[in-house]
Amino acid sequence: IAGITQAPTSQILAAGRRMTLRCTQDMRHNAMYWYRQDLGLGLRLIHYSNTAGTTGKGEVPDGYSVSRANTDDFPLTLASAVPSQTSVYFCASSETGTGGTDTQYFGPGTRLTVL
Amino acid sequence: GQNIDQPTEMTATEGAIVQINCTYQTSGFNGLFWYQQHAGEAPTFLSYNVLDGLEEKGRFSSFLSRSKGYSYLLLKELQMKDSASYLCAVMDSNYQLIWGAGTKLIIKP
């Protein structure tokens, strides 16, 4: 593994179902992030974690939850999916989460469709 | 509120030069990033500016004026592979990135 992996690559989900998007990084970065990207809008932060064991809410956290049990993994859970959660989801990581030069590196994304 | 503005779409010719502008209003400033995103792929880091002036990196350069809340990305000697979206993002006082919607750059032969 080199960098960040996400699974699944794509998913079609019935409304009301529970879904967990997986994200794993092997760069030993402290900070991890979940974004959604929708046409015509910038990337929007859902949740973030600056270190294992801590998480924080971003701009659009409603309907999503995260956990950070260890440094490498940062799963995103949709408890009860709704059609407005149809989007492309990107996981990212950065070395510290608290520095100005802290560059974020992105996984390949998960394309989620909720019907 | 926080706002990042950049043009939706630009067209340029192979071999030419193009400048993509970005203006921002954010709560605090800890640097400005440019990312490239090819269709269906993840964003990849291009440049970072925190001080006023020009940063050059090969065919790509990025400029920042903090007093004007303005940046641009300059791409020289355009190649077909430069067809992509270019995302401007500002790191705010909480060290979170605020993203523009991106500029889709179309390169014509």
Side-chain angles (χ1 to χ4, degrees), chain B residues 12-18 59 75-79 82 107:
Chain B
T13 303
E14 190 177 15
I17 299 173
V18 71
R59 293 188 299 115
L75 290 73
K76 303 175 186 175
E77 300 169 15
L78 286 169
Q79 302 175 10
D82 297 330
I107 310 295

Side-chain angles (χ1 to χ4, degrees), chain A residues 13-92:
Chain A
L13 190 66
R17 298 296 295 269
R18 180 183 179 90
M19 175 74 191
T20 295
L21 309 185
R22 299 184 299 279
C23 174
T24 300
Q25 55 105 357
D26 67 352
M27 297 178 283
R28 307 305 294 172
H29 282 172
N30 283 318
M32 297 186 75
Y33 313 84
W34 274 106
Y35 291 95
R36 60 178 290 173
Q37 186 175 41
D38 302 291
L39 201 61
L41 299 177
L43 287 160
R44 290 183 292 169
L45 183 65
I46 304 171
H47 285 286
Y48 66 95
S49 168
N50 283 339
T51 189
T54 69
T55 62
K57 293 182 179 180
E59 178 187 356
V60 289
D62 293 344
Y64 306 95
S65 63
V66 291
S67 61
R68 187 87 183 279
N70 57 60
T71 298
D72 299 344
D73 301 299
F74 191 43
L76 176 74
T77 298
L78 288 68
S80 179
V82 294
S84 62
Q85 292 178 312
T86 294
S87 188
V88 180
Y89 291 86
F90 286 103
C91 179

Side-chain angles (χ1 to χ4, degrees), chain B residues 49-101:
Chain B
N49 295 69
V50 67
L51 300 177
D52 289 353
L54 189 68
E55 293 279 344
E56 297 186 80
K57 194 184 292 186
R59 293 188 299 115
F60 292 8
S61 303
S62 55
F63 172 83
L64 174 67
S65 169
R66 289 173 296 172
S67 62
K68 295 182 180 178
Y70 168 70
S71 173
Y72 67 73
L73 181 69
L74 192 71
L75 290 73
K76 303 175 186 175
E77 300 169 15
L78 286 169
Q79 302 175 10
M80 297 304 292
K81 67 178 182 179
D82 297 330
S83 292
S85 288
Y86 291 86
L87 314 181
C88 174
V90 172
M91 184 168 282
D92 70 9
S93 55
N94 294 318
Y95 298 105
Q96 291 187 358
L97 286 180
I98 309 301
W99 295 83

